[in-house]
Amino acid sequence: MPDEGKDAFWMAQALALAERGRGYVEPNPLVGAIVVRDGELVGIGWHERFGGAHAEVGALKAAGSKAQGATLYVTLEPCCHHGKTPPCTDAIIAAGIRRVVAALVDPFSQVAGKGIDQLRAAGIRVDVGTCAEQARQLNAPYFKLIQTGTPYVHAKWAMSLDGKIATAAGDSKWISSEESRRVVHELRGRMDAIVVGIGTVLRDDPLLTARPKGARVPMRIVLDSHGRIPENAQLIRTIDEAPVVLAVTDCPAERKDALTRLGCEVWSLSTRFNRPDVTSLLEELGKRKLTNILIEGGAEVFGSFLDARAIDEVHVFVAPKLIGGTEAKSAVGGKGIAQIADALELEDRNVEARGKDIVIHGRIGKPGKGNA
């Protein structure tokens, strides 16, 4: 097998290891590492939790003395700075690694090529770029947070075959199957925050928790311009289980005080089209190092994020049901687009069956990509 093929083979395994950290390591990146000597796998590691040992250190520890003269495959450039753990570059040099193959340069300002330079200065051969696109997709949320200061936005909705998320009377339970709802709870358990509009709270009185609990306990955020959330809402009654944030724009001071006394955080945001400005919300979440957020509705909330071009990835559950009704809600509201050529398209699409439903998952690409 040519070196290029061998490198891709081992890097694919390192990427699979990195995936194990999803939900546990953010806002750090997902990283996997493999030590190979004379064509034999001698050590593996991955970043298992935030603040814990990095992937390279785990792989080197597993390899022990066999790391001497070996090749280290790692999905992201090794760090060279003191953070919560010592520099990985020091451990790599001390272990006697002969060659490092990294999928990508780490864009974090304290690394950003400096780790590669340090390894090369120590006489270690460093090659960058193997499985780069796969590694970029793996860590898309991390890259977005580092490069833009805002979190990666997932949008999730369940709809009928004719694109409705509720009947004209407002009934939406349950459009999707029980199996689909289990998938949603798994998704929630990997998120830093879940966002809904006040309409969803008033209509459905949701909990917005992951059941059973996942790797993370997401913050529950309600876009509630005037502070209309009922004080007996399930969100407030379960505030000890997960924090609740109310994003308001025109809310009386006494109402803010009352909601704060109930345990809610109240954030005052600027407005856009008479609604809380989602760009301001994302900037605030980015300051707090939230990496992944999930938008769960309703239609106008989805529309606000879509109009702001702020959705990165979608998870759509399509039930084999017809609802009809010109007054029944479609999935995405807002201003929308005027020309089909400007429509946003999905990339890296995945379609699978879940119970009776079809699940469509993909990343949002550029407008009109692929159109003739």
Side-chain angles (χ1 to χ4, degrees), residues 3-67:
D3 283 348
E4 185 176 331
K6 291 178 182 178
D7 289 347
F9 172 80
W10 293 117
M11 188 63 76
Q13 296 190 47
L15 289 165
L17 287 170
E19 181 65 41
R20 297 185 186 184
R22 192 174 298 280
Y24 295 96
V25 305
E26 293 85 353
N28 283 354
L30 304 172
V31 183
I34 284 180
V35 180
V36 177
R37 180 173 172 176
D38 298 327
E40 177 188 356
L41 175 63
V42 295
I44 67 170
W46 67 94
H47 190 27
E48 298 183 28
R49 60 179 177 82
F50 180 75
H54 287 192
E56 301 93 319
V57 172
L60 292 171
K61 182 177 180 180
S65 61
K66 292 182 179 179

Side-chain angles (χ1 to χ4, degrees), residues 224-240:
D224 185 8
S225 294
H226 309 297
R228 292 190 291 150
I229 187 170
E231 295 188 6
N232 65 343
Q234 287 197 96
L235 290 174
I236 292 179
R237 297 204 313 268
T238 59
I239 207 161
D240 290 338

Side-chain angles (χ1 to χ4, degrees), residues 157 165 195-200 203 223 272-276 278 295-308 311 328-336:
W157 66 83
I165 61 172
V195 181
V196 298
I198 185 59
T200 296
R203 183 182 64 250
L223 303 182
R272 181 177 174 84
F273 304 127
N274 297 317
R275 296 179 179 277
V278 300
I295 313 302
E296 289 211 24
E300 293 307 316
V301 174
F302 289 134
S304 294
F305 277 85
L306 189 66
D307 289 344
I311 297 176
K329 280 283 188 182
S330 296
V332 182
K335 294 179 67 178

Side-chain angles (χ1 to χ4, degrees), residues 254-274:
E254 59 272 19
R255 180 60 177 159
K256 290 182 184 178
D257 291 341
L259 292 168
T260 300
R261 286 195 296 272
L262 289 169
C264 302
E265 282 190 67
V266 181
W267 297 353
S268 294
L269 299 181
S270 57
T271 60
R272 181 177 174 84
F273 304 127
N274 297 317

